[in-house]
Amino acid sequence: MKRLKSFAADCWPIIVLRFSLILSLCVSIGWGEIRLSPSEHYTQEQAQEYCRSFGSSWRQMSIHELFALPSNIPFVEGFSYWSYNRGPSDNTEIGTGSEGDGGIIAMVGYSFFPKERNITLSPPTKKIAAACTDIPEIKPSRNYRLRVEGTEDNSSGLLWHSLDATDKRAKFTFDQAHEKCESLTLHGRAWRVPRLEELYGIVDYEHFRPSVDMRYFGAMMHRYYWSSESLSSAEGYVVGFKLGSVATVNKGETAYLRCVSE
C-alpha cells in the first residue's frame, strides 16, 4: 500500500459536516495519538496494514478502546471504523449492528459506528474506515468477586444482582426495566438499570455465547439487555451478550435485564 507522504507530517484535514468545521485527522488525546483514515476503503486486514504503515509503534485499536474514546474525537459523520477484534469462526449468524438476523458467515469483525455509539458485527471483507493509535494497548480491568448479594466489581464497587434472584428469562420494555430494578428490595439495597458503559464493561471477548465470564455473571441470555441510556425519546441502548455488540432498539420492544446497586 502506498503511504501518503503528507499524512504523518501534517495530518490531513477533513470536513466534519455536523459541525461545518475543518478538523484534523491527527488527534492528541492526552495519553497518545490516534489517526483516522479519510475514507472507507479498507477491509479489516487492510485497516491493519494501513495502521502499520505509520511505523512500528502504530496499530489498530481494540473495540473497547474505540468505544471509550471521548465524544470530541473528530470522527467522520456517517463512517464506521474497524477494530482488530474478531468473533468466533463457527458459522456465526450476523445482522445489522447486532446479534444475528442477517445470514451466515465464517467469521465476524467488530466495528464502531460513532454517530450512534453502536458496535457492529460485520464480514471482515466489508470496506469501512481505519482507526490507528501509537500507544501500547491497555486491557480492560476485570476484578470481580462473588458475594451473597451478587457479583461485585472490586474496581468500581458496583454490585450486579444474582441471576438466581429474579427470572433471568423475563423480558421488559425500556420503562418496565426501570420500574423492575427500582422496585427490587434485594438485601435491603437500592437497585437501578446499569448505564451503557457499565453494562458494556462486563463484555469479555475471550468468551462467547454469552460474552461474559460465567464464573462471575452466570449463564446470561445470548440476546439484548437494557442499559439506562437513550439515543432518542424513542430508542434506548442495549448490549447483546451473544457476541458482545451494542445497538439501539425501540423502547417499546422487550429485552432482558440485569440490575446493579452501588
Side-chain angles (χ1 to χ4, degrees), residues 62 65 84 137-142 206:
S62 73
E65 290 173 315
Y84 70 71
E137 182 178 359
I138 300 174
K139 299 284 187 179
S141 174
R142 305 193 186 282
E206 293 184 3

Side-chain angles (χ1 to χ4, degrees), residues 108-213:
V108 292
Y110 289 80
S111 62
F112 180 56
F113 183 52
K115 183 178 180 180
E116 296 183 357
R117 296 200 74 198
N118 283 358
I119 292 175
T120 303
L121 313 178
S122 302
T125 54
K126 182 179 180 179
K127 292 196 173 184
I128 54 177
C132 315
T133 188
D134 65 346
I135 64 164
E137 182 178 359
I138 300 174
K139 299 284 187 179
S141 174
R142 305 193 186 282
N143 185 12
Y144 306 118
R145 66 168 175 157
L146 295 175
R147 295 176 44 176
V148 173
E149 302 96 324
T151 299
E152 183 177 28
D153 185 328
N154 290 326
S155 299
S156 66
L158 199 66
L159 183 70
W160 298 80
H161 90 264
S162 171
L163 280 183
D164 297 333
T166 59
D167 180 3
K168 75 171 187 176
R169 297 182 181 275
K171 299 178 76 173
F172 306 88
T173 66
F174 183 85
D175 289 340
Q176 289 170 344
H178 283 269
E179 293 170 2
K180 177 64 176 179
C181 285
E182 291 167 8
S183 68
L184 287 180
T185 57
L186 297 171
H187 308 287
R189 303 177 67 107
W191 298 85
R192 61 173 174 81
V193 179
R195 292 185 286 272
L196 179 59
E197 286 78 7
E198 294 168 341
L199 187 59
Y200 178 65
I202 67 173
V203 168
D204 187 340
Y205 291 116
E206 293 184 3
H207 304 275
F208 299 99
R209 299 183 180 88
S211 53
V212 294
D213 189 336

Side-chain angles (χ1 to χ4, degrees), residues 15 21 66 106 109 177 200 210 262:
I15 296 177
L21 296 173
L66 284 169
Y200 178 65
E262 295 174 292

Side-chain angles (χ1 to χ4, degrees), residues 2 7 29 50 80 115 123 140 155 187 204 211 225 244 246:
K2 184 178 180 181
F7 188 91
I29 53 177
Y50 176 84
S80 291
K115 183 178 180 180
S155 299
H187 308 287
D204 187 340
S211 53
Y225 281 72
V246 175

